[in-house]
Amino acid sequence: MTMSSSPAPPDDTDALHPRERTLPVDTAIPLPRRTRVGIVGAGPAGLLLARLLNGNGIDCVVLESRDRAYAEHRQRAGILEQSTVDALRASGAGERLDREGIAHDGVELRFDGRSHRVDFPSLTGGSRVWVYAQTEVVKDLIALQLADGAPLLFEAEALSVEGVDTARPVIHYRHDGRVRTLECDYVVGCDGFHGVTRRSVPQGVLTSYERTYPYAWLGILADAPPVYDELIYAHSSRGFALASMRSPEVSRLYLQVPGGEDPAAWPDERIWDELDVRLASAGSRKLERGPITARSVLPMRSQVTEPMSHGRVFLAGDAAHIVPPTGAKGLNLAAADVVVLARAFEHLEREGSSELLDAYSDTCLRRVWRAEHFSYFMTTTLHAHPDGSPFDNRLQLSQLHRIADSRHAAAEFAENYTGAFSG
Ligand code: FAD
Ligand code: DHB
């Protein structure tokens, strides 16, 4: 690798983000300077897109602001729909998933002293979901990408995307303390809700639809066997609780807490006691307790950006939409977006037609809004609203009894949960 002290070409320096004008610019280090598709963000959306594009011989570069260890260990989602599993397999990342993923054919709803299991295959014509943590999805995709020698740069923070209305959008990013430039034919923002790509689109082009919720989740990871062999979603007057898992030895558990709660307000014993109360139902087992190895508070919000593209810039995953986690949809939507996008790029390469790229936003938004609605429904049906009245509580219970008592309502729930709907 050669270092050069020669001044950067004027077009590089001129385009610098204002915050970065004082940083040295080095254009001689042989990092990629041009690519077909510049991908911002190495979460599930960016990584899966890169694998699918590379699999079709389409050149791309992934820029990730965090280091590899951080990206691989961020605790997040745990439930994969069948279509996500299929996409991961198609990308080459199915091997460990098929070995270690746990197929689930149902979930249990607990409410009003009652336990009701919703059986997915019988209600949907065969659909099921898989427990396989986002951390593992990300590790698998990163390992494949690096093994292929495909460009994936960690600690490469995109600062801005410029020329979004031109045929040559440019990503300015910081790597090794220097500002660099990546010229692209297309840019895909997979950089999450707080990323820069969406903000680089000119004002007035995008519309944001959003809702926030007056509660949050306290999520923990514990070295304790799961209390039950499927997930439990529990409605209680003290607030929602969810019992999930990562393996036969590791539980993932969530409690509804007030928005902005400090995790320090929840010592271990308080968490376990509260989980016991909220997850209790007639004849249910008590949780086995174990060391808590991670805890964090997650805000709850719904948000959709429309359209999900502008010119040669596309938004995918959390960069385009957020769901509250109750429906387990965030990661699955991210995967669905990039499957559509990868197909559209392949169509462009093979047929020379941008028709699928042009339709990207409309194609994705059908599924996005269905998932938004289901996530909103799950959230507002299962959580105790701080200003909720006894009337509101009765409406929630009525809805849950309806799922338990009507095959039709249960099928609607199961189709949404497993993603077995068209759109
Ligand atoms: P992300 O996973 O957010 O990836 C975006 C990537 O872009 C990150 O690696 C980030 O570091 C990088 N990035 C950001 N800005 C830049 C930049 N300027 N330059 C370069 N890189 C950048 N869903 C569920 O279904 N269940 C859950 O329990 C659940 N828990 C969650 C907990 C948290 C704290 C969060 C934030 C989300 C959670 N979700 C959950 C949602 C789910 O994890 C997301 O929907 C999923 O991660 C979306 O993937 P993504 O690739 O679109 O975005
Ligand atoms: C998990 C997260 C969710 O948001 C959910 O609805 C189900 C499971 C999990 O992390 O395992």
Side-chain angles (χ1 to χ4, degrees), residues 159-177:
L159 303 169
S160 64
V161 181
E162 286 177 6
V164 298
D165 286 311
T166 71
R168 279 287 159 80
V170 164
I171 305 171
H172 299 288
Y173 68 101
R174 180 175 37 209
H175 186 59
D176 274 346

Side-chain angles (χ1 to χ4, degrees), residues 309-322:
S309 62
H310 175 68
R312 287 173 168 240
V313 174
F314 296 82
L315 301 173
D318 280 14
H321 39 71
I322 297 286

Side-chain angles (χ1 to χ4, degrees), residues 75-80 107 130-134 217 220-221 231-233 240 242-246 251-254 298 324-330 378 417:
Q75 284 303 325
R76 291 188 169 179
I79 297 290
L80 307 184
V107 292
W130 300 78
V131 172
Y132 191 67
Q134 181 167 331
W217 278 11
I220 65 159
L221 206 57
L231 269 61
I232 304 168
Y233 286 81
F240 171 70
L242 168 59
S244 181
M245 63 195 71
R246 289 292 174 264
S251 292
R252 176 78 165 144
L253 297 147
Y254 298 97
L298 328 175
T326 328
K329 289 282 165 247
M378 288 286 279
Y417 193 90

Side-chain angles (χ1 to χ4, degrees), residues 47 68 71-72 138-147 152 154:
L47 290 166
R68 180 175 178 181
E72 290 185 339
V138 166
K139 281 179 205 163
D140 294 346
L141 290 167
I142 288 175
L144 282 170
Q145 189 73 1
L146 294 178
L152 161 56
F154 290 102

Side-chain angles (χ1 to χ4, degrees), residues 105-106 116-127 403 406-415 418 420:
D105 284 342
H116 177 78
R117 179 174 183 271
V118 180
D119 184 77
F120 297 146
S122 64
L123 290 161
T124 60
S127 294
I403 294 170
S406 154
R407 185 179 166 87
H408 180 76
E412 173 67 11
F413 174 91
E415 278 186 17
T418 59

